[in-house]
Amino acid sequence: MQNRNIVILGSTGSIGTQTLDVVRRDEKLKVIGLTAHSNIVLLETQILEFMPQVVCVVQEDKAVELQNRLKALKIQTEVVSGEKGLLTVATLQQAELVITAVVGMVGLLPTIEAIKNGKNIALANKETLVTAGEIVMQLARENHASIIPVDSEHSAIFQCLQGNDRSSVSKLILTASGGPFRDYSYERLQQITVEDALKHPNWVMGHKITIDSATLMNKGLEVIEAKHLFDISLSQIEVIVHKESIIHSMVEYQDGSTIAQLGYPDMRHPISYAIYYPKRIDTPYIEKLNLSRVKTLSFEEPRVDLFPCLQLAYEALEIGGTMPAVLNAANEVVVESFLNRQVSFMEIPKIIHKVMQKHICIDRPTLNDILECDKWAREYSRRKVEKC
Ligand code: NDP
Ligand code: MG
């Protein structure tokens, strides 16, 4: 393989650091751009190891601080800042692959610009497709940019589709761990603290997605992501709770065969698959599955009565237009408020529902419509949070 230049947006996060762990084992992968929001301590360590051409620190004062530190160390890496800086890194001329691992809708515009510049995308940032899936997928087709999923369920489905005729797919089956409160009663759910919600049983991830996993909104966002990535109708997407997180998702075909992708939960697998696709490389650092040790694989229906976020996501997708962007924006605001202890766990779906009810949906939205509705939904959600 020839050298490949890659950029990682959100390199200081959970996916970002695991991506760098894959990258550091292959000298042919050259990191030319990295970004962080404010964690310049970790970003500096990454700069010293990978020597990228450019980094972006979104928070301006932190960018200046990092610039001064690099100057003192006589490091040549250029530092850019703000959300504009994210666009600079996402569109670096020599970049061949952009890994989008920032959290939240902030990933949308850099991903769009990267696609417009013909970059291939390894997509972890699911909010990009949730908010503007049609626009992003259309742009990717027009610019011949491939979007390879990093989200483990979508990577699994993508792998299960390889070599098969898309028109013979009858169903996509997304597995869900069910989160830490899978077996809780309504009464117990009222008592949940931030600390409880941050303890995911199978995965170590960033705070936002960990809370989304506990509310099942993560699965809802993934249903929307799957619809756009695989161009399939909502009625052909099923969610099943599989608490062991060994089967990462499945594809059912018309001939009655169901193909699944299995492995221990380790995001370095979907990350390396996305980087090297269509090749599979040897990854001795990823533990191989031992089914006799796993023993049992269990499955059950999701409890939408207790975890209404999944249902809200289905509704948003069914309504379409700007509604999924509004669902996403409300969720980002309310989850942050939950992490700041301003709202309770059970208030999360209630507030999102209120914001969706208030929204006047725009069909066939432009990017600008989506950005405007995102802004409105954030403001309205904040007002609702203040009333709690
Ligand atoms: P983390 O919170 O761990 O990391 C987020 C990254 O984005 C950090 O580099 C952070 O910088 C940066 N960031 C945060 N806010 C902003 C902002 N406003 N502008 C620009 N950059 C920002 O998140 P994860 O790695 O867990 O998740 C990243 C994405 O991948 C999410 O969309 C998530 O849904 C998806 N995903 C994650 C999985 C996982 O296992 N973690 C699995 C599947 C999908 P800083 O460190 O400076 O704050
Ligand atoms: Mg996932």
Side-chain angles (χ1 to χ4, degrees):
M1 196 184 85
Q2 287 181 329
N3 285 351
R4 268 176 96 199
N5 292 330
I6 68 166
V7 157
I8 306 171
L9 307 178
S11 62
T12 50
S14 161
I15 293 289
T17 49
Q18 292 180 87
T19 303
L20 285 172
D21 194 39
V22 171
V23 169
R24 70 161 56 88
R25 295 160 201 271
D26 182 349
E27 59 186 24
K28 295 220 156 96
L29 295 175
K30 303 281 173 215
V31 175
I32 62 166
L34 297 174
T35 80
H37 177 255
S38 51
N39 188 350
I40 53 170
V41 175
L42 180 54
L43 187 59
E44 184 182 318
T45 315
Q46 296 177 343
I47 293 169
L48 295 178
E49 181 178 354
F50 295 96
M51 291 294 173
Q53 290 169 16
V54 188
V55 297
C56 168
V57 181
V58 173
Q59 213 174 299
E60 313 270 350
D61 54 335
K62 293 281 178 188
V64 174
E65 206 182 316
L66 178 67
Q67 209 160 21
N68 292 336
R69 277 153 68 156
L70 294 182
K71 208 168 159 194
L73 291 166
K74 299 197 176 5
I75 302 285
Q76 303 286 319
T77 299
E78 184 189 345
V79 181
V80 293
S81 65
E83 285 180 17
K84 219 173 130 206
L86 284 178
L87 303 183
T88 307
V89 180
T91 55
L92 282 177
Q93 211 199 336
Q94 289 110 317
E96 288 150 81
L97 180 69
V98 176
I99 296 151
T100 66
V102 294
V103 60
M105 191 271 191
V106 71
L108 175 62
L109 295 182
T111 308
I112 285 183
E113 283 311 305
I115 292 171
K116 282 187 181 164
N117 281 267
K119 313 292 183 201
N120 291 324
I121 309 290
L123 185 100
N125 179 258
K126 63 191 80 184
E127 294 89 349
T128 291
L129 289 185
V130 172
T131 49
E134 265 130 31
I135 293 173
V136 170
M137 294 309 289
Q138 178 59 28
L139 274 174
R141 281 189 290 274
E142 284 167 16
N143 290 280
H144 308 288
S146 55
I147 299 186
I148 314 293
V150 169
D151 211 346
S152 59
E153 295 77 3
H154 306 75
S155 173
I157 290 169
F158 189 74
Q159 294 180 53
C160 296
L161 288 170
Q162 297 303 310
N164 287 297
D165 173 16
R166 287 286 180 105
S167 63
S168 60
V169 170
S170 54
K171 215 196 276 176
L172 305 182
I173 306 165
L174 291 171
T175 53
S177 71
F181 313 130
R182 196 179 52 240
D183 303 320
Y184 277 34
S185 64
Y186 179 79
E187 288 67 36
R188 257 186 106 188
L189 285 172
Q190 308 284 335
Q191 316 298 330
I192 282 166
T193 64
V194 172
E195 289 71 26
D196 298 330
L198 284 175
K199 278 185 215 134
H200 193 278
N202 304 340
W203 301 92
V204 180
M205 309 180 285
H207 282 184
K208 194 254 178 188
I209 185 175
T210 305
I211 303 304
D212 286 349
S213 300
T215 61
L216 288 199
M217 179 58 94
N218 183 50
K219 215 43 58 179
L221 300 179
E222 290 182 355
V223 167
I224 303 175
E225 185 185 7
K227 192 223 171 280
H228 294 299
L229 264 178
F230 304 114
D231 193 20
I232 197 158
S233 70
L234 179 55
S235 61
Q236 289 173 289
I237 307 176
E238 193 180 293
V239 171
I240 189 150
V241 173
H242 165 52
K243 66 171 188 253
E244 295 82 7
S245 297
I246 295 293
I247 295 184
H248 299 304
S249 279
M250 299 171 253
V251 177
E252 182 196 88
Y253 288 91
Q254 285 168 342
D255 65 358
S257 182
T258 299
I259 301 183
Q261 187 262 330
L262 286 78
Y264 290 123
D266 186 334
M267 284 309 294
R268 291 174 305 175
H269 169 70
I271 291 168
S272 91
Y273 187 79
I275 291 177
Y276 293 99
Y277 172 79
K279 283 206 175 103
R280 285 181 186 272
I281 56 143
D282 187 17
T283 52
Y285 51 92
I286 296 178
E287 194 183 350
K288 305 290 184 288
L289 184 61
N290 179 341
L291 279 174
S292 60
R293 219 182 79 201
V294 175
K295 287 194 171 61
T296 317
L297 298 178
S298 61
F299 305 94
E300 56 190 280
E301 296 277 316
R303 294 164 69 200
V304 273
D305 53 331
L306 291 186
F307 300 97
C309 283
L310 180 58
Q311 191 57 37
L312 290 176
Y314 272 107
E315 276 169 33
L317 186 54
E318 218 158 329
I319 296 166
T322 43
M323 196 56 92
V326 164
L327 166 99
N328 177 71
N331 184 54
E332 285 190 29
V333 170
V334 183
V335 168
E336 201 186 329
S337 308
F338 170 70
L339 287 166
N340 293 333
R341 294 160 216 273
Q342 291 165 286
V343 300
S344 73
F345 186 76
M346 295 300 264
E347 275 165 333
I348 297 175
K350 286 187 191 147
I351 299 175
I352 298 169
H353 190 208
K354 281 185 191 151
V355 180
M356 285 171 68
Q357 279 178 320
K358 186 80 180 170
H359 177 55
I360 300 160
C361 192
I362 304 173
D363 283 335
R364 301 185 160 274
T366 61
L367 182 58
N368 207 36
D369 292 332
I370 290 172
L371 297 176
E372 286 294 317
C373 292
D374 170 87
K375 200 167 149 216
W376 169 82
R378 281 170 202 272
E379 281 164 13
Y380 191 70
S381 306
R382 278 190 202 107
R383 269 189 272 149
K384 287 279 156 204
V385 167
E386 276 162 24
K387 287 196 183 140
C388 282

